[in-house]
Amino acid sequence: MLATGHKGGTLKDNKTWDVVDCLADVTPLGCKWVYLIKVKSDGNLNKYKAHLITLENNQEYKVNYKETFAPVAKMTTIHTMLAITAT
């Protein structure tokens, strides 16, 4: 369970997602928590972070997902587009 003292309350309180029943022929993907401790450059504690991630190694194409898209842009492309836009 997430800490309720966080800004705005928990993800459940904010209705970030809906809990639904799985179909009979679907095997749900697993998940796990990944915890990080962020430190400043001087070694002092900055903050704690936690991420809930899916175990995507169990996914099958066209069963658990249909397509993947990860847009990637090089910085030179962004600089060029900004230069063209600015003139």
Side-chain angles (χ1 to χ4, degrees):
M1 183 56 72
L2 296 172
T4 56
H6 191 268
K7 300 175 198 170
T10 65
L11 294 174
K12 184 177 178 182
D13 293 341
N14 291 330
K15 298 181 181 162
T16 303
W17 59 67
D18 296 322
V19 177
V20 296
D21 293 328
C22 238
L23 300 174
D25 60 339
V26 174
T27 304
L29 295 174
C31 63
K32 71 176 185 175
W33 284 99
V34 176
Y35 300 101
L36 300 170
I37 299 174
K38 299 294 233 173
V39 293
K40 297 178 184 176
S41 58
D42 62 0
N44 289 328
L45 176 67
N46 187 14
K47 59 185 161 182
Y48 296 102
K49 295 183 86 173
H51 301 274
L52 182 64
I53 61 168
T54 61
L55 300 175
E56 295 173 356
N57 57 335
N58 297 331
Q59 285 185 315
E60 296 178 37
Y61 182 64
K62 293 189 178 180
V63 175
N64 301 85
Y65 70 96
K66 293 182 175 68
E67 62 184 48
T68 59
F69 178 69
V72 178
K74 293 184 179 180
M75 287 307 292
T76 54
T77 306
I78 293 172
H79 287 282
T80 304
M81 295 299 286
L82 289 174
I84 292 170
T85 306
T87 57

